[in-house]
Amino acid sequence: MNLQEVLAYIVKALQQEQIRFGIGGSLLLAHHGLPVTPRDIDLVVALEDAERAVQVLSEMGTVVEQDETSLYATQVFQEFIIEGIDVDLMSGLQIRHDEGIFVYPFAEQTINETELPFMSLVDWYVIYQLIPGREQKVAMIEHYLAEQEADRERLKQLRRLNLPQVVRNRIDQWLN
C-alpha cells in the first residue's frame, strides 16, 4: 500500500469507531498544494478518544517504542508502522518553549470534513513555529496564507494561549 492508501485505510477504521481526529503535518500541507513530500501520517486525536485510537492502530500495525524528548509534553504520543508507513498519533498535544508550555486546543469544528478530516492550516502554522527546524514549512504556510483568507477567528483563539511573544507577533501580522 502507498501512503494515500494507508491513510484511507486508517481514516475508515477510526471513523467506524467514531474517533474524533484530524490529519496534520506534511499531509495537510500537501493537501493545500504546498511543495512537500509527505513520508508519514500525523494524526491528532481528541483526548477522550486517544485510548481507543491507540487500540485501533495497534491492531492495524506495529507499535514503535518511543524515546523521551524534552520538547513535547504531549499526554499521549504513539508511533506505529502500518503497511510500511510511519504513523504518529498525538493527543493532548503540548509543546514546551522558553516561555512555558503551549497546550493545543483540539477542536472538531476546525477540522475540514469535506473529504478527509484535515486540520486547520493555521493550527499547524502555530505548531510548526514551536518545533525547531520547521522554519521552511512556516514560510511556506505564510506564503500560502498571503494568497488565501486565513482563519482569523482561529488565529485569535490560538494567540490567547501560552505562546512565545515572537509567535504572537507573527500571528498579529495576520490579524492586523
Side-chain angles (χ1 to χ4, degrees), residues 26-40:
S26 58
L27 274 169
L28 172 65
L29 301 186
H31 173 71
H32 285 281
L34 299 175
V36 296
T37 304
R39 289 178 169 65
D40 67 352

Side-chain angles (χ1 to χ4, degrees), residues 150-168:
D151 183 347
R152 295 174 58 79
E153 288 308 308
R154 184 61 173 172
L155 279 171
K156 287 177 189 176
Q157 287 177 333
L158 295 170
R159 192 197 181 288
R160 289 191 290 268
L161 301 174
N162 187 342
L163 290 168
Q165 188 60 47
V166 66
V167 176
R168 280 202 235 45

Side-chain angles (χ1 to χ4, degrees), residues 32 121 142-151 174:
H32 285 281
L121 188 59
E142 286 180 338
H143 180 75
Y144 179 87
L145 292 178
E147 298 175 4
Q148 307 292 322
E149 182 64 33
D151 183 347
W174 298 106

Side-chain angles (χ1 to χ4, degrees), residues 45-78:
V45 176
L47 195 53
E48 308 82 61
D49 296 337
E51 190 175 314
R52 286 185 310 132
V54 168
Q55 181 64 38
V56 168
L57 296 178
S58 295
E59 292 170 3
M60 298 173 79
T62 305
V63 175
V64 177
E65 294 301 318
Q66 259 77 261
D67 293 329
E68 288 295 317
T69 176
S70 60
L71 176 63
Y72 301 102
T74 300
Q75 291 177 311
V76 178
F77 177 84
Q78 186 59 63

